[in-house]
Amino acid sequence: MILRTLVASVLTLAAMTAAAAPAADDVVIQGAWLRAVPPVAPAMAGYFKLENHGRQAVTLTGGKADFAGMAMLHESKEDARGQGTMVHLKTLSVAPGESVAFRPGVRHLMLMKLSSVPKAGESERICLTFKDHDDVCAPFPVRHTSP
């Protein structure tokens, strides 16, 4: 009887853990790229589409790259005078089945405090960080223009 209860408890716990754990491919980065900048630039922008194929919303908090000391999410906004400005997004939620585009003039991942500046034609691994999900990483090719 004790063994049967123990086995049932272990199976229940395993099922709950599996249901709560995010699948490795439930959050996907598509169309990633970095805009090429001069070799002395202190920062560069990354663009991508983030897709949530999971069953729960995910909260994007930023990113990280070996060549950048800091990464922030930015959104382009227009102020009351019609002037364009960048606003720091502390987080961005993506609902299940939804996607969000980081594209020029809308949103970008700003990589700052660069220890080196990747050149056009190179590719860098960048990881997006989340409040409620494991990091999601992808290669970001460096380009002069949008693909």
Side-chain angles (χ1 to χ4, degrees):
M1 185 65 166
I2 293 175
L3 181 58
R4 184 179 294 165
T5 303
L6 179 61
V7 169
S9 296
V10 168
L11 290 175
T12 301
L13 181 60
M16 287 176 14
T17 302
D25 60 353
D26 64 345
V27 177
V28 179
I29 299 170
Q30 297 285 349
W33 65 287
L34 294 171
R35 180 163 321 267
V37 295
V40 294
M44 67 191 314
Y47 304 99
F48 55 91
K49 182 178 179 184
L50 184 64
E51 300 174 349
N52 182 0
H53 300 288
R55 294 182 183 166
Q56 298 176 354
V58 293
T59 305
L60 180 63
T61 58
K64 57 187 176 184
D66 290 342
F67 67 94
M70 186 173 164
M72 295 173 70
L73 305 171
H74 285 168
E75 185 170 42
S76 297
K77 294 274 188 180
E78 208 172 270
D79 66 16
R81 298 173 306 188
Q83 297 292 319
T85 184
M86 283 188 293
V87 177
H88 173 196
L89 295 173
K90 291 183 181 180
T91 63
L92 183 65
S93 183
V94 183
E98 297 292 322
S99 64
V100 63
F102 280 70
R103 63 181 188 270
V106 181
R107 290 182 203 93
H108 60 271
L109 176 67
M110 181 61 79
L111 300 162
M112 298 167 283
K113 298 184 179 180
L114 306 180
S115 59
S116 63
V117 178
K119 299 176 185 106
E122 296 178 345
S123 185
E124 292 289 338
R125 182 175 186 263
I126 296 177
C127 297
L128 300 180
T129 57
F130 297 84
K131 177 181 176 183
D132 45 14
H133 192 281
D134 292 338
D135 293 354
V136 177
C137 305
F140 279 63
V142 182
R143 308 172 49 94
H144 286 288
T145 59
S146 175

